[in-house]
Structure formats: structure tokens, C-alpha cells
Amino acid sequence: MLAEPFNWHPGMWNMLIVAMCLAFLGCLQAQELQGHVSIILLGATGDLAKKYLWQGLFQLYLDEAGRGHSFSFHGAALTAPRQGQELMAKALESLSCPKDMAPSHCAEHKDQFLQLSQYRQLKTAEDYQALNKDIKAQLQHTGLREAGRIFYFSVPPFAYEDIARNINSSCRPGPGAWLRVVLEKPFGHDHFSARQLATELGTFFQEEEMYRVDHYLGKQAVAQILPFRDQNRKALDGLWNRHHVERVEIIMKETVDAEGRTGFYEEYGVIRDVLQNHLTEVLTLVAMELPHNVSSAEAVLRHKLQVFQALRGLQRGSAIVGQYQSYSEQVRRELQKPDSFHSLTPTFAAVLVHIDNLRWEGVPFILMSGKALDERVGYARILFKNQACCVQSEKHWAAAQSQCLPRQLVFHIGHGDLGSPAVLVSRNLFRPSLPSSWKEMEGPPGLRLFGSPLSDYYAYSPVQERDAHSVLLSHIFHGRKDFFITTENLLASWDFWTPLLESLAHKAPRLYPGGAENGRLLDFEFSSGRLFFSQQQPEQLVPGPGPAPMPSDFQVLRAKYRESPLVSAWSEELISKLANDIEATAVRAVRRFGQFHLALSGGSSPVALFQQLATAHYGFPWAHTHLWLVDERCVPLSDPESNFQGLQAHLLQHVRIPYYNIHPMPVHLQQRLCAEEDQGAQIYAREISALVANSSFDLVLLGMGADGHTASLFPQSPTGLDGEQLVVLTTSPSQPHRRMSLSLPLINRAKKVAVLVMGRMKREITTLVSRVGHEPKKWPISGVLPHSGQLVWYMDYDAFLG
Ligand code: BG6
């Protein structure tokens, strides 16, 4: 039975705390009490609390009470006191002690914990004020110094703001004591909502007061990634890079489905629920540059953010999605949807991630998770390349030691055939060193994991298995922030995932039956930056919004636009067609003239093209290609706004092009930007005249702005539309205003001009420009017509058909 809230005699509290302190052996020698900690669990009767949090708090109490702290635990919810107390008592029934604790001790500690745990209704501002008053009264009566308060938000995010406001206005501890608020995901739905939520919380709490939980960071195998990398630096230093790593798989498979929580799941889906947080966190721990001090929260965060910066943007083709067959039916039932309702929410996803930095360039990172799969298991597997050739036949290979056997390192998060967290290192890699809290393990005989018998690995498991939430509660108590998600970390992750989520919003997931029956249906492959299912979809099972796409929709359409050839297709097909055409033009030019002069525009449309050229065009004659800029913003070349920077990030750093063939526009001379006196435009024009025969580029790639601008030639501005100048300084209506651009006459000297137009936003201008004549002053794009070259329009269906 739980005690009534705070109507005790003050002396009783004192006696209780002293009695409990004495109950701990360690406490006999304990220094004087280090202070009192109040822990307020909001949502104390909810699922998470029942399953993990009360047990975690009990463990915290067992671990810390003997070390000189005193505690009070306040279970809180909206429910009225009597009913709430009953529910909480139920939640507390199944507390368990560590295996090695004697039953009598266990019962004693449990009893003490229950006495310190009280239910209270927290609904109104007055309830919070009363809580504060009670805590203060307790402290006064017992004469204890307050160490701090922990508020654990185990509540849905819509309740955050109210609770946060109340805590901030009436439940902050006095001077010298800390406040820690613990938040559970979801932290937003996309970049925008996450930022909004973060800003909102930021008005109530300091960053250092907030502990955003990703419970995967509390999983023992995940928490071991950085310490393992640190402790085995010597062995891993030479191996942890693109030269040795074949690929990295970060996987979380589940057998359960979403039944009973479709209300939540329908809004989030597997990418938001698991990939954006748990798997991304694991990815950063595997991929980050190892800080000197792996326990410095600040250094870990900095290195994590560097990984986010190096992540290559995801395309629609970077992911495949699926949905277990009974999901829509569960949604209809649980959310009272009509019979005609079909959900597009993915319950399975696999995503191919690339990290564009020196260490990981070219190494595929595969993130995959799903519900209703054949097994429950989680791991991060680093598979190494096998560069050895064994001369003797296989029968002479030393068991487990041969360099020709697979070489892998696995952080086994849990479950699966192994049934526990583990770290596995192929014996032919190196003998790892682990802390004493990990021991060598043996599995059931005959067990095979990741293609090898368990005996082929050095295998370690934790001496004592601990639940993630209990690990994290201990870190919160000790103020260790490196196990939590900071605002910057959170927003960087959403920044990465949001574009993919948007591009998949209307994609029909592949249906799968669930469990073992999935067979090979979800198997997938990857190449050239794309993922695809290995097997064809048997049939279109989920009707998407609008008619199901037909195979003919994906064929490239050829027509005319403004009397020039038009190539139109869905964006991916279009980009691939354009990239092929550019390569063919390049190969022809190099064959005939020994070199290929290509002038490229900046902006967002060509990014996918650059990536395609960078990753899928091995026959491209880069060594003989000269790259020029069509236009540039007057910012330093290292500025993210710079067109050159985009080119550098998405193309140049991935291809082998001689430095002397790269020709950025000279917008930054004498430490100033686009000053007329510096004559940057003239310098560029002279460079073109000197290197490009007749100043006639082999290919100029242009875009078309929603206002009809092209290059940096803008409507209502005569600069660069005619005359002798090859390169001009212009003014854009949007920031940064100052630009440098090839002039229209120079563009029209090109042998070929390709205009790439993509996205719905271009629909209107596409229609308009199709009807206008030669009016470059109003629509500079209408002045593009090479004198003796060819003009080809490349438009995706969104831009062309709307
Ligand atoms: C949660 C997700 O974060 O993680 C659930 O919301 C998922 O959908 C769960 O089932 C898996 O966690 P664990 O600890 O069981 O691997």
C-alpha cells in the first residue's frame, strides 16, 4: 500500500530517511548526506512507466541511496488521487531486484522504495504549486539540503508545453540545486515541428536542463561503441575507413506489429519512429571521428554534428518502403476509418546512406527497420573488405584464423539467436580489449551468426545485463549529457531525414504478409546510390492517391518545347537521361578535340544531376573535362550559398578532375566581393577566350527560375542580354543580390545548351514561357537560342505536366 501524500509528521520523514540510510551497508561508512533528490515521474501510470521507468527508478534507488543521497519519488498523472494511487500501486507490483540480491534484502529495499514513492495528481497550476510547497516543506522538516529535481515527461508531446510552463513557473528548485527535465520522443514530426517544439521548450528550460531520451543510447552494446573504438584504437585505426570497410548495416527488426498503437504509428511510420532517431544515433557513433576523450559530452556532440554535415542528401531512390498487409485494416478498426481507407504509412524501410568525407566516401551504410518481420534483433555490423588471397586450398585454412574468412565486427544490440547484447569480433581481425564489465561469452553449440559459427568470433557480453532506461536514469542522475540528444543534434537529424520523408509521402509501400511468410519479398539490393527490392512487386496492392502508375509512365517522353527538343520524364529518369546525354557529349568532344568544356549552373535542380554524374558515370572523361561556372553569387567560394560550393560538395570532391581544369568565377578578389574595380568579370572572360576555342562551350547547363530568369540574368534588367561582354556583373531580386554571370551572347555561342527544369513550382513559368516569343528583357530564358548549336529542354513531369 502506498502512503498518503505528505500529511506525515515531519519527524517521521526524518526517521524514515535515516532508517533507510542505515539499511544500506555502504551507508554506514557513507559521508554525510549529499543532498535530497526529488524525482517526479509524469505519466506514472502509463505504459512506459509500467514497463521500464519504475523499475529504472528502483534500480537508481538501489544504486545511489547507499552512496549518500536521499530520495523521494512522486508518481504523477492527471488521474484523481484515489484511482491514480491504485493504478500506480499496480505499476509498482512487479519491481524486481538484481539476481544476486538475497530475497529478504530485496523485500526490504522494495518496501523502502514503495514508502518513498507517492502518487499525486498534477493537473492544474495549483497542483504544481502544491508540489513545490510540499517538497520545500519536506526539506525543511528533515533539514536536508536539496541536491536537485528530476521531472520525467512520460507523456504525449502535446502535454509538454503546459507541464513545462508549470514547472518553470512554480517548481524550480532553490539556488544551488539543479533541475533536470527528461523528455521522451517523438520530438517533432519533421524539421519544422521539431524546431518549433525545441523553441517552445527553450523558453522554459536551459539546454543543460533538458535530457532528451533516445533509449538506444542506453542499450549496452550501443553505449559500448565509442569506448570500444577508444580502447581498441590501435587495432582499428588502420581499419576504420573506406579502404577496409565494405559496408555498415544498422538494423532493428521486430516481430511485433503496430496493433494497439496505430493512432501514433499512422502519424509517424517506421522512418520517424526508428530510423530518424535510434538508427541515426548508432550511425553517428560508428561513423564519427573518435574524440580524444570519448566521455566528453561536448566533444562527442561536436563530432556527431560533423557526421551530420557530411551526410549526402537522400533521394527518393535512396529508400525502399513496405507495409505489413493487415496494417490498413488495423488502422481502419482502431481509428474508425472508412472501408475505402488505405494507409501509405511505411512499417518497413531500408535506406542507403552515404557519408561524404575522407574516411567513409563510397562506403554504403544501410539502415533498416520494420515491424512484423521474421525475428526480433538489433545490431550494427561492420563488414570488412576481404583483400586477402589464400593460396592453399580451403581445407588447409586455420579454423577461424584464415584471412580469407569473413571479417566483421558486430555490436549486437539484443535479442536474435544470441538473445543478449554482445560485441563480436571475427577472430581473423584482432583480439579486442573490453572493460571488465564485459566478459567472454559462449553461445549454444552450433550457433551461426552473420554467416560464421560463433566460434569464429571473440564474443563478449555484459557481466550484468541492464535495461536501457535504467542505464539512462543513472546518467541523468549523474548529469552525464553525452547519452542524450541535444537540440542541435535533433535538428541536424531532422534536417537530414525531412526531405526523404517528404519525397516518400505519396509513395505506395510494398505490402508484405508478415513474419516468416515474408520470404524474399523484402530482400533488397543497392547500387549507384539507390536501393531496390530484389524481386518485382507481384502486383500493385495498395492503391495510392490517384491512379496507380503504369509502366508506360516511366518511359521518357520526347516532344518539342519552344520548337526545340524536349525530354520529359519523372525526375529520376530525367536526371539519368540528362547525365547520359552529357557523358555522351563529353566522350564525343574529347574524341574530336581532346577536351570538353562544360559550363554548369548552380541552384538546387542540378544537385541530383551532379550526384548522378559523381556516382554512376565511370566512363566520364573527367581528366579531359574543363568545368566552368554559368553564374555565381558574390560570396566567398567556401560559403554554402556559393554555386561553386554546391559543385564542390556534390561533384568535384567525388571525381578525379585535374585542379587546373576547374574554373571558379573570380568573385572574391583582393578580399572583396565583386568589386567593379577588380575586373573579375573581365578576368573570367579572358580565361574563357584563352582556353575555349571561339569561346564556344561544348555544353552549357542552364536552369529556369520561376520568374523566367536563367543563369544570373534577371527580368527587367538589361545587363548581359546583348552586347560584346562575355561575362557580366548583375543584380538579383533575391539575396545575395550581387551576381556574376555568363552573358546571353556567350551562352548562345555554345555548341549545346541543356535547360533543366524540375518541380511543381516551375509549372506556371513553364506554361507561360511555352507561349511567349523572343522577349529576353521580360523572360531572359526566352533569349536562349544557340546560333549554331543545339538547345534541348529537360523537364520533369512535375514541371511539365503539373
Ligand atoms: C521505440 C519505438 O522507440 O522503440 C517502437 O517507438 C519500437 O516502435 C521500440 O518497438 C523498440 O525498442 P526495443 O528496445 O524493444 O528495441
Side-chain angles (χ1 to χ4, degrees), residues 332-374:
R332 286 194 290 270
R333 188 163 18 90
E334 291 179 12
L335 307 183
Q336 276 100 49
K337 300 272 186 193
D339 286 351
S340 57
F341 177 82
H342 288 277
S343 165
L344 289 179
T345 305
T347 61
F348 165 87
V351 179
L352 176 61
V353 175
H354 278 284
I355 303 176
D356 288 331
N357 61 21
L358 275 184
R359 186 179 292 282
W360 296 117
E361 188 189 341
V363 178
F365 282 72
I366 294 157
L367 274 53
M368 187 267 271
S369 184
K371 301 258 182 218
L373 300 183
D374 62 322

Side-chain angles (χ1 to χ4, degrees), residues 504-728:
L504 292 176
H506 302 296
K507 184 165 175 164
R510 168 173 290 202
L511 288 190
Y512 58 94
E517 278 179 60
N518 293 338
R520 296 194 50 230
L521 195 61
L522 296 178
D523 289 359
F524 58 90
E525 291 164 39
F526 55 92
S527 76
S528 308
R530 304 187 49 183
L531 270 187
F532 41 88
F533 285 113
S534 306
Q535 287 188 344
Q536 291 277 325
Q537 168 94 319
E539 56 196 277
Q540 172 80 17
L541 290 160
V542 178
M550 304 297 286
S552 57
D553 290 343
F554 296 97
Q555 278 165 15
V556 175
L557 182 83
R558 285 187 181 74
K560 290 249 167 191
Y561 180 84
R562 291 181 62 82
E563 292 173 12
S564 293
L566 163 74
V567 179
S568 194
W570 293 115
S571 55
E572 278 177 39
E573 305 296 320
L574 184 75
I575 290 294
S576 127
K577 171 81 177 97
L578 175 55
N580 286 341
D581 290 354
I582 295 178
E583 177 173 337
T585 312
V587 169
R588 268 198 308 274
V590 172
R591 205 177 296 137
R592 288 187 61 195
F593 312 112
Q595 49 192 356
F596 173 55
H597 288 276
L598 172 63
L600 293 171
S601 294
S604 55
S605 292
V607 167
L609 172 71
F610 297 165
Q611 289 173 346
Q612 178 80 7
L613 287 172
T615 54
H617 285 262
Y618 300 100
F620 202 103
W622 292 116
H624 304 283
T625 297
H626 282 256
L627 278 190
W628 301 85
L629 271 283
V630 163
D631 63 336
E632 186 56 284
R633 293 145 192 229
C634 295
V635 294
L637 295 188
S638 57
D639 190 296
E641 293 265 22
S642 152
N643 285 345
F644 185 77
Q645 189 52 228
L647 194 60
Q648 155 72 14
H650 301 292
L651 181 65
L652 293 180
Q653 62 168 324
H654 308 293
V655 295
R656 307 280 177 265
I657 181 161
Y659 297 129
Y660 40 82
N661 283 7
I662 301 172
H663 308 281
M665 281 185 155
V667 287
H668 198 186
L669 296 170
Q670 323 237 31
Q671 297 185 339
R672 47 191 186 183
L673 295 165
C674 294
E676 296 275 0
E677 313 84 281
D678 293 335
Q679 305 222 324
Q682 290 83 340
I683 293 172
Y684 205 53
R686 277 202 296 276
E687 204 176 331
I688 294 168
S689 308
L691 295 174
V692 185
N694 303 321
S695 302
S696 169
F697 291 109
D698 296 302
L699 200 156
V700 176
L701 175 75
L702 297 177
M704 171 164 76
D707 57 354
H709 82 259
T710 193
S712 277
L713 305 170
F714 297 95
Q716 319 303 346
S717 154
T719 326
L721 298 181
D722 46 28
E724 298 294 307
Q725 269 186 283
L726 300 185
V727 184
V728 288

Side-chain angles (χ1 to χ4, degrees), residues 185 215-216 219 252 254 261 264-265 273-274 278 371 376:
K185 79 179 179 65
H215 79 283
Y216 264 60
K219 301 243 178 202
M252 199 261 254
E254 297 188 277
R261 49 191 301 246
F264 159 82
Y265 210 81
D273 188 34
V274 174
H278 306 325
K371 301 258 182 218
R376 180 181 185 190

Side-chain angles (χ1 to χ4, degrees), residues 31-44:
Q31 331 77 340
E32 65 189 276
L33 277 183
Q34 291 179 356
H36 186 77
V37 179
S38 309
I39 303 187
I40 300 93
L41 174 54
L42 298 133

